[in-house]
Every structure is written in C-alpha cells, then in structure tokens.
Amino acid sequence: MSAVVIAGEPHLALSPAQFAKDPETAKAINEWLGSVDAAARVRWSLANLPGPFALSSSFGAQAAVSLHLVTRADPGIPVIVIDTGYLFPETYQFIEQLSGQLSLNIQRFASPQPVAEFEAQHGKLWEQGREGLDQYLELRKVEPMRRALKTLGTNTWFAGLRRSQATSRAALNPLEVRDGRFKVHPIFDWSDRDVYLYLKAHGLPYHPLWDKGYVSIGDWHSTKALHEVESAEELRFAGLKRECGIHGLEG
C-alpha cells in the first residue's frame, strides 16, 4: 500500500495523478480523514499534500467557517474570490468584514470583460435557458477560477463544500483530485447544526442576507430567498441547475 501508517496517521507521498490511479490508497486516506475532525484534516493536508495551497470562497451564507478553519492553520493562504461583477452589495460588504476580522489574503479574479461590454455582446445570458446559463457561468465564473488556480500555481485547493448541501455533493470525499491537483473538503460531512455551532463558538457572522431568507447566495440576478420559491432547488439559477461548474460537479 502506498500510504504508510505511523502512529495511526497516514503519510502520503503520491502525486495527484498517482493518487487518482490508486483506489486502495485513496480509500484508506479518505477513511482516515473521515475519522478525524475538520481541523485535523486541514493540518494533515498542509503537512502531506503539495503546495502552493489556496482556499476558494464564494463568501456565501456560511463562508466564515472554512475561512476561519483553514486560515487558523495557514494564516497567509491565498483566498480566491471570483467576482462575476454581479455579486450582491452585501456580499462585497461581507468580503470586507471577514477580510478585516480574519486578516485574509484575498486574491480577486474576474472576467477581463466589463459587465456593460459583456451584456452588449451576449445579452443577459442567465435569462437564456440552460444553454445561456452554462455559457454565462463558464465565462464569468469557471474561466476566472481556472485562471486563478493556474496564476497562483495551486497544487492543493481547499473548498468548503458539504455533502448535505445538495444531491450533487452527496458523494464528496474529504480528499479528491480535480484537474490534476488535490482538492480538500475539510467540512464535507458537516450538518447545518455543525456549521451553526462553529460560527457561534468562534464569534463568526453569517452573510448579511441570511436573516432575509437567503440561504444559498450567488449573483443577484439568479439568487432567490426562501419565501420566493416553492422548493430549495429553485434558490439558484431558477432551478435549471444547482452547480456553477467551478468545483467540477454536475447538477
């Protein structure tokens, strides 16, 4: 087996490509990661996985958890923010609030095309069905994220995805390989209650729109509050899809 266990903790010396082709090691590592707490997952990843490291954040409703958890272990880690140009004013406020509170190393990336020019060329793609929405997300979110990871030379990417957030995330593992790099999900198995308790214990805020019923927060033009929809699937993207594509998930 490629992972050598010392005092109960596995040590990994595989590249992402090797890890992806070694299901036995991947299973053992993920089982161990699933048996320890989120802070231990972060510490283990920083000690065993290759840098440079980066943490992505949408600065959504519960974003403070991952930001606090990861930056406690690595205070200078780059925090990637993808600015579509259509974020809520409250989201920009939240970014500034948490940046100051947690001394974050914010790295902003965006489409090179300004919003006005973008709409002049493409119109309001998010109103043009699934095909238009997919094109919008590729141009304003996925391409900037791809460029961010490349620009920063990221070899290990932390993200705050959780299995309980959506059916498209139900099979998440704490450690995966995406696009040739390691991807770590330290709170993959957390419940909403776990999130609440962590925020409360560390004096961390929810997004300013949380109290107005916004529990899944993205761009202002394709995000709805709970009182505006009949089902949770309609909270984002008019129910046409759940995932924006940044994380390599379908749904």
Side-chain angles (χ1 to χ4, degrees), residues 86 111-123 140:
Y86 295 94
S111 166
Q113 192 172 35
V115 164
E117 181 181 315
F118 175 78
E119 289 189 27
Q121 179 178 349
H122 300 286
R140 305 302 294 192

Side-chain angles (χ1 to χ4, degrees), residues 62-215:
Q62 305 162 343
V65 168
S66 289
L67 290 165
H68 182 267
L69 184 69
V70 176
T71 59
R72 279 205 306 175
D74 184 357
I77 191 171
V79 176
I80 299 172
V81 177
I82 303 303
D83 187 351
T84 62
Y86 295 94
L87 302 180
F88 283 96
E90 291 87 350
T91 299
Y92 293 110
Q93 172 192 332
F94 196 40
I95 292 170
E96 294 306 313
Q97 177 184 359
L98 287 178
S99 294
Q101 184 173 343
L102 301 177
S103 300
L104 301 177
N105 175 17
I106 297 291
Q107 299 291 320
R108 297 175 188 255
F109 287 83
S111 166
Q113 192 172 35
V115 164
E117 181 181 315
F118 175 78
E119 289 189 27
Q121 179 178 349
H122 300 286
K124 297 180 178 180
L125 284 173
W126 59 89
E127 295 180 352
Q128 298 175 32
R130 175 64 184 258
E131 184 176 346
L133 181 58
D134 285 343
Q135 184 182 1
Y136 169 80
L137 294 171
E138 171 65 28
L139 294 173
R140 305 302 294 192
K141 300 192 77 166
V142 178
E143 187 282 326
M145 174 58 80
R146 196 181 297 123
R147 179 161 31 89
L149 294 167
K150 182 177 180 180
T151 300
L152 296 172
T154 306
N155 285 316
T156 297
W157 170 15
F158 290 90
L161 276 61
R162 298 186 289 121
R163 286 179 172 177
S164 62
Q165 289 174 319
T167 55
S168 53
R169 302 180 179 186
L172 280 177
N173 285 312
L175 179 62
E176 299 183 346
V177 173
R178 292 284 181 187
D179 297 327
R181 60 178 57 86
F182 284 112
K183 191 158 184 279
V184 185
H185 305 123
I187 58 172
F188 79 105
D189 56 352
W190 280 31
S191 65
D192 287 341
R193 178 169 174 76
D194 293 327
V195 169
Y196 165 77
L197 291 174
Y198 189 94
L199 292 174
K200 184 177 180 181
H202 296 283
L204 298 167
Y206 282 93
H207 190 288
L209 290 175
W210 174 264
D211 289 335
K212 297 182 180 180
Y214 290 86
V215 297

Side-chain angles (χ1 to χ4, degrees), residues 33-48:
L33 288 170
S35 74
V36 298
D37 65 21
R41 294 166 189 161
V42 173
R43 289 194 300 269
W44 180 89
S45 298
L46 293 171
N48 284 273

Side-chain angles (χ1 to χ4, degrees), residues 194-236:
D194 293 327
V195 169
Y196 165 77
L197 291 174
Y198 189 94
L199 292 174
K200 184 177 180 181
H202 296 283
L204 298 167
Y206 282 93
H207 190 288
L209 290 175
W210 174 264
D211 289 335
K212 297 182 180 180
Y214 290 86
V215 297
S216 180
I217 302 165
D219 293 328
W220 60 260
H221 54 62
S222 52
T223 299
K224 292 189 179 297
L226 284 170
H227 65 270
E228 297 177 296
V229 300
E230 295 184 1
S231 74
E233 298 300 318
E234 300 172 22
L235 290 170
R236 298 281 294 280

